[in-house]
């Protein structure tokens, strides 16, 4: 199967099935049982149920293309470094949000080609909303039967409309550094407003033109970001590290991302604001 809209639709369907499995656990009257993995991160039956749908569902879609999942054993670097194309998934991104029952968790599925996320699906089970992006084709938001193309917005359009810059941030990570960045943005661009949200929804807000910048100045893993980065880039934005290099995947033995920034308007000169040196 080639990289086209029909492949994307199959991934969307799988992501929604995984979301249904997550909601079945989420809605259990006896509550959510939480276990702790070896890295001290939480895992629930919902993470595992979504993984059990996604991995076997993705494998037949592209012949010989492996799946890298947060809920499976990490493939060793000697094998993984040779992968030109692979699926990377976070069956339940935002497990902590899931446990808090605030609805801000997602199913993340991405296809990586030579380090680049070329297809991405982010499904929000509680809302029934899907964000999807396909390199060279565009990005979309699905709400029920409604599907609409999405794109990032420009700083110039905000200024023309006399609207403030919107910065979206994590509730609990890197707050001091983010506050310092927001001060610099405010000095340059005027009023800045903030939105706080969990999981990869933060990147999706930038992709759909509801926010302009998401600074992530704390650690994440590649399966946390790949799907939403594909959506952002298909919508016209970009995701860069602190040196403003585009974030790429499967380039080293560990799967931790550097600190990064999600930018809605790549034409704006962000360098002086994002670099604190």
């Amino acid at each position: 199967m080639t990289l086209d809209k029909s492949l994307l639709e199959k991934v969307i369907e799988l992501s929604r099935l995984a979301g249904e499995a997550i909601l079945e656990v989420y809605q259990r009257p006896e509550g959510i049982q939480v276990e702790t993995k070896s890295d001290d991160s939480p895992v629930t039956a919902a993470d595992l149920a979504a993984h059990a749908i996604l991995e076997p569902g993705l494998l037949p879609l592209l012949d010989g293309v492996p799946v890298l999942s947060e809920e499976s054993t990490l493939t060793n670097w000697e094998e993984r470094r040779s992968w030109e194309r692979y699926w990377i998934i976070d069956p339940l991104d935002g497990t902590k949000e899931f446990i808090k029952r605030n609805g801000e968790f997602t199913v993340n599925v991405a296809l990586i080609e030579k380090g680049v996320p070329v297809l991405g699906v982010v499904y929000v089970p509680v809302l029934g909303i899907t964000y999807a992006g396909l390199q060279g084709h565009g990005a979309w938001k699905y709400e029920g039967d409604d599907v609409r193309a999405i794109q990032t917005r420009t700083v110039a359009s905000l200024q023309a409309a006399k609207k403030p810059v919107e910065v979206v941030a994590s509730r609990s990570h890197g707050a001091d550094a983010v506050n310092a960045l927001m001060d610099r943005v405010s000095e340059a661009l005027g009023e800045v407003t903030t939105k706080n949200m969990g999981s990869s929804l933060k990147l999706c807000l930038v992709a759909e033109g509801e926010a302009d910048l998401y600074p992530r100045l704390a650690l994440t893993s590649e399966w946390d970001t790949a799907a939403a980065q594909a959506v952002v880039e298909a919508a016209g934005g970009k995701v860069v590290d602190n040196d403003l290099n585009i974030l790429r995947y499967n380039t080293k033995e560990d799967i931790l991302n550097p600190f990064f920034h999600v930018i809605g308007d790549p034409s704006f000169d962000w360098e002086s604001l994002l670099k604190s040196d």
Side-chain angles (χ1 to χ4, degrees), residues 19-273:
E20 289 175 9
I22 289 170
L23 287 180
E24 190 279 322
V25 178
Y26 191 65
Q27 294 164 352
R28 287 177 183 173
E30 66 270 25
I32 299 168
Q33 299 298 312
V34 182
E35 297 182 11
T36 303
K37 295 191 286 190
S38 59
D39 63 357
D40 289 332
S41 63
V43 64
T44 71
D47 298 76
L48 303 177
H51 168 83
I53 289 169
L54 292 171
E55 184 176 49
L58 290 168
L59 285 171
L61 295 185
L62 294 170
D63 188 42
V65 175
V67 176
L68 184 66
S69 170
E70 182 177 12
E71 304 310 332
S72 61
T73 302
L74 182 64
T75 305
N76 68 71
W77 175 234
E78 287 306 310
E79 178 181 348
R80 189 161 40 88
R81 69 193 305 176
S82 67
W83 290 357
E84 297 246 323
R85 202 181 204 197
Y86 68 100
W87 298 102
I88 183 167
I89 64 175
D90 190 342
L92 174 49
D93 179 39
T95 300
K96 291 179 181 177
E97 314 299 332
F98 176 85
I99 294 166
K100 293 175 186 174
R101 293 182 177 271
N102 68 10
E104 295 175 6
F105 51 87
T106 60
V107 177
N108 295 352
V109 180
L111 179 66
I112 307 295
E113 289 189 351
K114 297 182 178 178
V116 179
V118 295
L119 178 155
V121 172
V122 177
Y123 179 59
V124 192
V126 167
L127 300 178
I129 290 174
T130 307
Y131 296 92
L134 187 62
Q135 186 184 69
H137 293 261
W140 301 269
K141 183 179 182 179
Y142 297 69
E143 292 185 83
D145 295 329
D146 179 56
V147 183
R148 64 179 178 89
I150 57 174
Q151 62 182 30
T152 59
R153 66 188 179 190
T154 65
V155 173
S157 70
L158 287 176
Q159 293 174 326
K162 301 188 184 312
K163 291 182 178 179
V165 171
E166 292 262 13
V167 176
V168 62
S170 169
R171 290 196 174 91
S172 53
H173 300 289
D176 290 343
V178 170
N179 288 338
L181 168 59
M182 287 181 57
D183 288 342
R184 296 195 298 274
V185 173
S186 180
E187 288 174 11
L189 296 173
E191 184 184 357
V192 176
T193 60
T194 60
K195 295 179 179 179
N196 297 107
M197 191 165 288
S199 73
S200 55
L201 286 168
K202 294 182 286 290
L203 289 88
C204 294
L205 284 179
V206 176
E208 66 175 320
E210 292 295 326
D212 306 290
L213 179 68
Y214 164 36
R216 177 66 183 206
L217 308 181
L219 290 177
T220 56
S221 294
E222 293 183 0
W223 43 57
D224 295 319
T225 56
Q229 182 174 348
V231 177
V232 168
E233 292 182 346
K238 65 180 181 179
V239 182
V240 299
D241 64 20
N242 271 343
D243 294 319
L244 304 188
N245 298 312
I246 299 292
L247 206 62
R248 289 297 176 244
Y249 294 80
N250 203 37
T251 62
K252 59 190 190 317
E253 184 170 1
D254 71 65
I255 55 152
L256 292 176
N257 290 318
F259 294 176
F260 63 84
H261 304 275
V262 182
I263 293 170
D265 181 5
S267 68
F268 181 77
D269 180 16
W270 290 99
E271 183 169 1
S272 61
L273 302 180

